[in-house]
Amino acid sequence: MPTSASIEGRDEPAVIRARGLIKTFGHVAALQGVDLELYGGEVVALLGDNGAGKSTLTKCLCGVYQPDAGELELAGRPVQLRSIRDAEAYGISVVYQDLALAPDLTVLENIFLGHELLRTGLLGRAGALARGEMAQRADAALQALGIDLPSVRIPVSELSGGQRQAVAIARATMWTRAGILMDEPTAALGTRQSDIVANLITATAARGLGVMVISHDLPRVMEIATRVIVLRHGRVVLDTPAQGLSRRDVVDAMVGYAEEVHG
Amino acid sequence: MAEHAVSSRPAAPERGERRAVLQRVAGHPAFWIALIDVALILIFGLLSPNNVFWTLGSFQNLAVDSAEALLLTTGVALLLGAGEFDISQGANVVLSSVIGGKVMLALGSAGTLPAILLGALTCVACGAGMGAVNGIVVTKLGVNSLVATLGTLGIATGAADLITNGSDLAGFPLQLQSAFGSRVVLGVPLPALVALALFGVAWLVLRFTRSGVRILALGSSRESAVRSGLRVDRLLIVLFLLTGALVGVAGFIDISRFGTTNVSGHQTDALASIGAAVIGGASLWGGRVPLLGALFGALLAVILQDGLVVVGLSPFFQLIATGVVLIAAVHLDQQRRQRSGRPGRVRARLRS
Ligand SMILES: Nc1ncnc2c1ncn2[C@@H]1O[C@H](COP(=O)(O)OP(=O)(O)OP(=O)(O)O)[C@@H](O)[C@H]1O
Ligand SMILES: [Mg+2]
């Protein structure tokens, strides 16, 4: 049985609580009954070998996929998510490796896309943007996360990969009330940029949001994680606080030694 | 209008700032097209007999000839910004002018003013309706907009021919031309003023409003628009509808200028409008449409067409030039994208 020592004695309901999630694609059983919780303020590293089911799980948690069976509770309420929009309405957002920013729009426009601030009065009713106010708020949000950009008014296509990832994360933290799921946010980044993103993740959790990160970069993700969940063949084989956990334990769980030892 | 890199760094000394402004102007695609427009006007003026190309009448003629082109170019530029095409524009001009014309003829006995007003309304409504059909086919039926509007091009052309039996409608109230089509206000032809006003509205919307940002988001990254919770289908249908309404206005201008429909014309309208938008700096891959560039691009084609006639050459050279320049512009855009590591998406989109 997976243990969840880190979550005992909490009063707040979990941001995300999944029970017995099952998802199959044809004859591939991608998820075979997954239980997990994500609480506000923690960074959960979701680990596992290629094909273990990490991405499928993330997509089930944010409404991209509908699980074949199992229950999902967000903030203590049972829900059925039919789209990412649904998940966002419950305060859950996703940051993908492939970003999903609009490259031709400015940083500002990307951060506020779908949440634009309008001017007051008649102009606002005509849909006129309050760019000044938006810039101030974006600058403040970026600063709070320690993100340094030349300007929020340049197109995203002119940013580096790390800067784009930072913008995507800033965007997610600005509009998310509960939890952020990240699927390999640093896969395309160099060392320095990965460090920046890692710091961002810590800063995001410190603001009380629950963060779940998928990554194959074990050393780095274990440095920032407060809890580690390992998936293997669509099942949770390890769920434990990160403190005191060795990389060896995690790898053993990923490749299946742990199962053999503990039965 | 495309957002250009406006640095929020501390204010530079004044001279540096002035140079930055100059650089921005020179870096704007509209600037170069405007320059070519001016150069062509100079050249045609010099070559034309007695420099007639430089007379007020000639400029008024240019303006009124540009009215329809500008409306269609504005519409297609907005659609290109959202990553969509419309090649049914010409057929839509014809169909809306035919249906609006029918209404006007039917109401002729009810009085001139109501007939003209209702005829105009019908033209616009018909254009908007065709636009909405395009939008619904693209979003709800999932048909790529190139193919969808190729289909509606056929439907609209066929419908217009059926309604008219292939012969043009005429016999509209004379006031249609005197009060609108050939009316000149403060030296400017009224149809050109109407087109310019609608262009201005489109420019303001694209530049300053939430809808403008969302239109460009649709074209820049459809996926990011979806993930940002935008109602993509609804946005697209409304956009197709409104750009269709612009086409409907062009249809009304068409009958009020000539006092007759032109059912066998307008076959190269889509080439002209897409060409003008792209020459003006719009990207075929969406997300970037400098509307001012599209304005000067639309003027470019009209100047060429009228200028060639004035200097005694065939106006058909203009079509050839537009075709060549369109291909060249898209090729350059493609190369620019590849250099910035963003391969073209047209092929991927055709498959979807
Ligand atoms: N859309 C799909 N259709 C069919 N099979 C799928 C689909 N998505 C995932 N699978 C299968 O489900 C299993 C889990 O895939 P998933 O992408 O969740 O793994 P992952 O843990 O994210 O792997 P990686 O570390 O390589 O990203 C794999 O066997 C995969 O082939
Ligand atoms: Mg994956």
Side-chain angles (χ1 to χ4, degrees):
Chain A
M1 267 312 284
T3 60
S4 359
S6 70
I7 59 177
E8 276 161 24
R10 299 225 185 209
D11 328 319
E12 294 263 311
V15 166
I16 297 177
R17 184 182 147 92
R19 282 290 168 265
L21 290 189
I22 292 177
K23 180 75 187 173
T24 51
F25 298 104
H27 53 264
V28 179
L31 300 179
Q32 315 192 40
V34 170
D35 297 344
L36 71 78
E37 279 100 20
L38 174 68
Y39 285 91
E42 63 176 354
V43 177
V44 170
L46 182 61
L47 308 174
D49 227 337
N50 290 123
K54 306 178 297 293
S55 295
T56 305
L57 175 58
T58 310
K59 287 175 180 168
C60 285
L61 297 180
C62 69
V64 173
Y65 290 158
Q66 284 74 51
D68 303 332
E71 282 128 46
L72 192 58
E73 279 178 20
L74 300 182
R77 268 183 305 174
V79 294
Q80 277 194 321
L81 304 176
R82 286 177 313 271
S83 68
I84 292 195
R85 284 249 305 271
D86 278 2
E88 294 217 324
Y90 286 105
I92 306 291
S93 61
V94 207
V95 175
Y96 291 86
Q97 179 200 329
D98 60 2
L99 293 167
L101 294 174
D104 302 287
L105 301 192
T106 63
V107 171
L108 188 65
E109 290 165 342
N110 266 287
I111 288 183
F112 280 90
L113 189 59
H115 304 271
E116 300 88 349
L117 303 180
L118 297 184
R119 301 172 62 137
T120 50
L122 219 64
L123 282 177
R125 237 177 288 157
L129 293 169
R131 279 192 205 270
E133 199 186 335
M134 281 161 58
Q136 270 176 10
R137 284 188 51 183
D139 275 331
L142 292 171
Q143 212 160 36
L145 291 170
I147 300 170
D148 191 27
L149 296 178
S151 160
V152 292
R153 292 179 195 267
I154 57 176
V156 161
S157 59
E158 289 175 20
L159 299 180
S160 74
Q163 288 173 324
R164 288 182 205 192
Q165 197 61 261
V167 170
I169 294 173
R171 179 186 148 80
T173 52
M174 257 184 101
W175 307 119
T176 303
R177 286 168 283 113
I180 301 184
L181 313 174
M182 303 189 190
D183 195 345
E184 308 199 29
T186 59
L189 304 183
T191 317
R192 209 179 59 80
Q193 301 193 323
S194 297
D195 285 338
I196 296 172
V197 170
N199 289 338
L200 268 178
I201 292 172
T202 312
T204 306
R207 294 154 60 111
L209 298 175
V211 185
M212 197 168 87
V213 194
I214 297 177
S215 176
H216 288 285
D217 184 354
L218 278 194
R220 188 174 273 107
V221 73
M222 286 185 63
E223 236 167 65
I224 56 169
T226 55
R227 189 152 56 91
V228 171
I229 296 179
V230 176
L231 277 188
R232 180 172 160 72
H233 296 326
R235 287 199 177 85
V236 174
V237 293
L238 187 69
D239 183 347
T240 180
Q243 207 162 28
L245 192 66
S246 77
R247 216 185 299 169
R248 183 64 197 271
D249 298 333
V250 173
V251 174
D252 283 354
M254 280 168 62
V255 300
Y257 289 146
E259 267 173 280
E260 282 160 30
V261 175
H262 302 298
Chain B
M1 275 266 319
E3 271 290 325
H4 272 264
V6 183
S7 169
S8 68
R9 267 166 278 190
E14 209 174 288
R15 185 181 298 170
E17 218 161 60
R18 201 175 305 147
R19 188 181 306 151
V21 169
L22 277 180
Q23 265 171 2
R24 272 180 60 202
V25 170
H28 198 292
F31 174 74
W32 296 103
I33 308 299
L35 220 58
I36 296 174
D37 286 350
V38 172
L40 279 178
I41 289 176
L42 290 178
I43 293 171
F44 283 128
L46 286 175
L47 294 182
S48 59
N50 299 326
N51 301 348
V52 288
F53 201 66
W54 286 343
T55 57
L56 177 66
S58 162
F59 284 125
Q60 286 176 337
N61 203 36
L62 271 182
V64 77
D65 280 344
S66 307
E68 286 177 51
L70 179 58
L71 288 169
L72 302 197
T73 301
T74 305
V76 98
L78 293 174
L79 285 169
L80 285 176
E84 302 293 344
F85 292 87
D86 183 357
I87 53 176
S88 70
Q89 282 189 323
N92 195 1
V93 168
V94 171
L95 183 62
S96 48
S97 66
V98 161
I99 294 182
K102 276 277 180 199
V103 167
M104 220 179 298
L105 290 177
L107 289 176
S109 52
T112 311
L113 190 66
I116 291 178
L117 284 182
L118 279 172
L121 263 178
T122 310
C123 286
V124 177
C126 175
M130 281 295 296
V133 169
N134 282 334
I136 289 166
V137 172
V138 168
T139 56
K140 301 301 178 192
L141 303 188
V143 180
N144 164 277
S145 60
L146 212 54
V147 176
T149 55
L150 182 62
T152 53
L153 180 156
I155 295 169
T157 307
D161 283 342
L162 273 179
I163 293 172
T164 59
N165 272 326
S167 53
D168 279 304
L169 304 178
F172 301 120
L174 288 175
Q175 286 89 335
L176 181 60
Q177 281 165 284
S178 60
F180 180 71
S182 24
R183 176 90 169 270
V184 175
V185 178
L186 301 173
V188 186
L190 190 51
L193 280 181
V194 169
L196 204 58
L198 289 170
F199 168 84
V201 172
W203 185 81
L204 287 172
V205 165
L206 200 58
R207 187 89 170 81
F208 294 110
T209 73
R210 175 169 65 186
S211 308
V213 173
R214 291 181 172 182
I215 287 171
L216 295 179
L218 286 178
S220 187
S221 162
R222 192 58 60 86
E223 203 171 352
S224 88
V226 173
R227 288 184 190 166
S228 303
L230 302 190
R231 294 174 196 282
V232 171
D233 285 3
R234 208 178 63 173
L235 266 170
L236 277 178
I237 292 173
V238 171
L239 184 62
F240 269 106
L241 183 147
L242 290 176
T243 57
L246 291 178
V247 176
V249 175
F252 178 68
I253 291 177
D254 205 53
I255 38 177
S256 40
R257 280 187 63 198
F258 303 109
T260 157
T261 60
N262 183 8
V263 286
S264 56
H266 298 284
Q267 283 165 2
T268 54
D269 280 11
L271 164 66
S273 62
I274 294 176
V278 169
I279 290 164
S283 170
L284 272 196
W285 290 273
R288 182 167 52 81
V289 267
L291 271 192
L292 272 180
L295 167 75
F296 292 120
L299 282 178
L300 182 63
V302 178
I303 293 170
L304 261 181
Q305 205 167 24
D306 290 8
L308 287 170
V309 175
V310 169
V311 300
L313 288 169
S314 165
F316 300 132
F317 282 119
Q318 176 266 331
L319 274 182
I320 295 174
T322 306
V324 170
V325 175
L326 173 65
I327 290 171
V330 172
H331 173 68
L332 289 178
D333 188 29
Q334 172 96 331
Q335 285 198 321
R336 190 169 41 198
R337 284 182 71 84
Q338 270 165 358
R339 248 181 277 119
S340 65
R342 295 165 59 197
R345 273 176 292 159
V346 159
R347 218 171 280 153
R349 224 189 297 136
L350 276 174
R351 229 184 289 125
S352 71

